[in-house]
Amino acid sequence: MRKKVLYMRSLLQTILGLILLSAVTGTAAGAEPVVERVSVTPTSAGDGYVIRIHSSDYIHAYSNARELGGGKHEIILFNTDLIKPYQHAKPEGPLVSYFFETRDDHLVFSFELVRTVSFAVNVYRDRDSNDLLVGLIDDGSAPFAQPVKVAPPVPVGPSVKARDRWRLDTIVIDPGHGGKDPGARAHGAVEKEVALGVALKLAEYLKDLDVNVVLTREDDRFVELKQRGKIANEAGGKLFVSIHANAQRRGGTARGTETYFLGLHKGKAALDVMNRENSVVSLEENAEQYADYKQEHLIRQTLAQSAYIHKSQQLAMAIDQQFKRRVQRPSRGVHQAGFYVLWSASMPAVLVELGFLTNRSEASFLTSKTGQTYMASALFRAIRDFKEAYERELNLVSSTQ
């Protein structure tokens, strides 16, 4: 019996691996983005250079810079092509050479840096175009072999106007369930009421950050899952937080918070939570619209939103830390799962389970004014800290208008 279980587990892992490989190496729908040229410019701060990879369209997924040794690095641009011949600037500053090659239908950007200086190499998107930027910032450990002549400040990376446009100025709060969908119920507590109570308090606290706060519902009404993401997108949301409360099928001993971001579930507990939260589609008029939300599509969606997924994970971890350290709540950790409500939000997005209503103690805490205040405060602090860190990153490469 044990051998059979191990065999089935191995078979399942193999199948998932093949699905993931297919998602990564397969051609995305529509035309692939094409790299048209490469330019190299010094930062206006004089602390390094930026390689700009000019693309015809949005590059959905890319790897971090991988160091190969000897000053050599490479970056993989998934499902991306190269125009031939492409325009390329002469290497300068710490950049010795660079070239492109196609590998397994993906474009690989290889480059070599001088070895007399240690550089922080970061890859990120230009907020004002489809381009990718590779920052080469001197960490100050040693001087350049030859002094680098820094040109007068030039527009590198996003303009001041573009950075302002991408500041985290609109936060969407999604109180789970509502109306004909009560969510979990136990010990006199109702999930839709707990979620709304915490959401309204959080919205009030967020006003201190001078941001626009959008609620997917402000009262006891039913809002379809896809509509929640649509509300967030149409409002120009930069952050999406869906608030829920958990439940246990049998008994009432389980306790603790859980924080999720989009991805494949890696355990039965995460699967159970995902299935319970996704089951609300049975109350919607057009449940068939979720027919394509299958595992292989989830993998593709995760790859397509790679930049958002990373930020979502950072926010989820910040929330988890606030629950544990500041509110002293037991935590069941940060997880990934395929929640329908997170699929349509084109921004960093998380789903929070505040605790178990099937646990009498937690139900009492989450229905109390004090409990809801504490949980909303923890969410506020996590969002505040995330916002500050997020906006600092927009200024890694300064520019002029």
Side-chain angles (χ1 to χ4, degrees), residues 230-267:
K230 183 179 179 181
I231 292 171
N233 294 335
E234 291 181 348
K238 308 294 176 60
L239 201 66
F240 182 87
V241 179
S242 189
I243 300 175
H244 296 258
N246 218 332
Q248 190 178 24
R249 289 184 179 180
R250 297 180 180 86
T253 58
R255 60 196 298 261
T257 64
E258 294 178 338
T259 312
Y260 290 86
F261 61 102
L262 188 65
L264 289 172
H265 64 271
K266 298 179 181 179

Side-chain angles (χ1 to χ4, degrees), residues 93-94 114-117 119 142-148:
V114 296
R115 283 180 271 178
T116 54
V117 179
F119 291 93
F144 285 110
Q146 297 294 331
V148 177

Side-chain angles (χ1 to χ4, degrees), residues 19 23 262-264 290-305 338 343:
I19 291 173
L262 188 65
L264 289 172
Y290 301 95
D292 289 337
Y293 285 35
K294 305 297 184 184
Q295 183 162 274
E296 58 269 29
H297 297 92
L298 174 59
I299 295 173
R300 290 185 182 276
Q301 182 77 353
T302 303
L303 286 172
Q305 295 190 10
W343 278 63

Side-chain angles (χ1 to χ4, degrees), residues 314-327:
Q314 289 182 337
L315 176 59
M317 294 176 67
I319 291 173
D320 182 61
Q321 289 300 311
Q322 285 291 337
F323 284 158
K324 288 189 295 187
R325 296 180 179 179
R326 298 298 295 271
V327 194

